[in-house]
Amino acid sequence: MTPHRPFPIFSRILHWTMAVLVLAMLFIGIGMVSSVSAYHQLVAIHKPLGILVLVLVAIRLVNRLINPPPPLPEGMPQWQRFAALGSHVLLYVLMFAVPIVGWAMLSAARYPVVLYGALQLPPIMPQNPALFAVLRETHTVLALLLFATFLAHLGAALMHALIFRDDVFPSMTFWGLRDRAGTASGDRDSAAHASGTPALVKSE
Ligand code: HEM
Ligand code: HEM
């Protein structure tokens, strides 16, 4: 029997902070291109928040390499392991690609990427209207792909939480599994299934 453990606390904080930010960015993006009156205010929020996502995902990737996720449940079929890894890789790629393409497209049009006040980012592309057009389209397509991947991710998370009822969902929450950092070698199969103790330890 192997003890289960959650994601490290810093990984969970990053996951939920970024989940809020990325979802907000998707809705701000759609909102701003559909609005005439609020366009300028929304774009002024969209750019620095998008760059914040880029900074945070870089920190998150380094953190993931230093603190790897807990192993998946022992009995999980191979295709589900593949789907989990594949979708996580895709989410990481898109969390990098969408903001980089946003920055690159504005660079190609020589629009300023204002972070705050006079603080601006330098252009990362040569000025080129044709390149801007391609990158502008790419930004939309990748953002929609990010949304679609997130929906699949949410569906999988809910399957684990409500149908499989294993330790995958609680391993990412702040209340589901008691942190067993000291015995952090185990997997997320409900050790409780074998031992007869409750899988989810609710906090008081
Ligand atoms: C996680 C990061 C980001 C997400 C999820 C995101 C998402 C989106 C979405 C959904 C749209 C609307 C696309 C459409 O309907 O055509 C959009 C537009 C836009 N994004 Fe982003 N974006 C991100 C980062 C950035 C960054 C870092 C920048 C620039 C520094 C940026 C600049 C823009 C601009 C300027 C537009 C509107 C262009 C126009 O007026 O036509 N985005 N974004
Ligand atoms: C309400 C929405 C969300 C829920 C319920 C949720 C739930 C979860 C759960 C349960 C895990 C652990 C799964 C496993 O280990 O296989 C996880 C991991 C992960 N989630 Fe989410 N998630 C949500 C939103 C997001 C969003 C918006 C993103 C990014 C766009 C995201 C990216 C990731 C990534 C990359 C992992 C892999 C672990 C890591 O490196 O942090 N999640 N999520």
Side-chain angles (χ1 to χ4, degrees):
M1 183 183 77
T2 46
H4 48 204
R5 67 175 169 100
F7 275 82
I9 184 73
F10 187 54
S11 310
R12 281 178 276 160
I13 291 170
L14 277 174
H15 174 271
W16 291 111
T17 308
M18 290 197 69
V20 172
L21 278 178
V22 169
L23 289 177
M25 283 297 289
L26 287 164
F27 287 103
I28 291 171
I30 298 290
M32 84 195 173
V33 293
S34 339
S35 156
V36 177
S37 54
Y39 177 82
H40 292 288
Q41 281 118 303
L42 290 178
V43 111
I45 301 172
H46 189 83
K47 291 188 221 174
L49 267 195
I51 298 300
L52 179 61
V53 168
L54 184 57
V55 171
L56 289 179
V57 75
I59 295 172
R60 183 168 171 182
L61 183 60
V62 173
N63 173 63
R64 188 180 159 120
L65 296 174
I66 298 171
N67 300 305
L72 288 163
E74 254 165 24
M76 192 189 253
Q78 204 55 38
W79 72 267
Q80 283 182 19
R81 291 173 180 277
F82 182 76
L85 181 66
S87 59
H88 292 169
V89 169
L90 187 57
L91 284 168
Y92 271 93
V93 167
L94 292 170
M95 284 189 285
F96 273 106
V98 176
I100 289 174
V101 170
W103 181 5
M105 86 192 178
L106 292 179
S107 306
R110 281 297 178 271
Y111 282 121
V113 180
V114 178
L115 295 184
Y116 184 76
L119 185 62
Q120 291 186 11
L121 289 181
I124 51 170
M125 280 286 155
Q127 186 169 14
N128 182 335
L131 185 59
F132 167 77
V134 172
L135 292 173
R136 175 67 189 83
E137 192 59 31
T138 309
H139 191 64
T140 303
V141 171
L142 291 183
L144 294 179
L145 183 59
L146 176 57
F147 191 58
T149 315
F150 156 69
L151 288 180
H153 177 69
L154 178 62
L158 292 177
M159 287 272 286
H160 282 284
L162 303 174
I163 297 173
F164 302 151
R165 293 176 182 227
D166 55 21
D167 291 344
V168 169
F169 187 78
S171 70
M172 193 46 104
T173 65
F174 295 96
W175 60 84
L177 294 173
R178 195 163 278 162
D179 204 327
R180 300 186 184 183
T183 53
S185 62
D187 68 15
R188 288 178 286 181
D189 66 331
S190 285
H193 288 174
S195 68
T197 53
L200 308 187
V201 183
K202 299 267 183 260
S203 58
E204 260 95 89

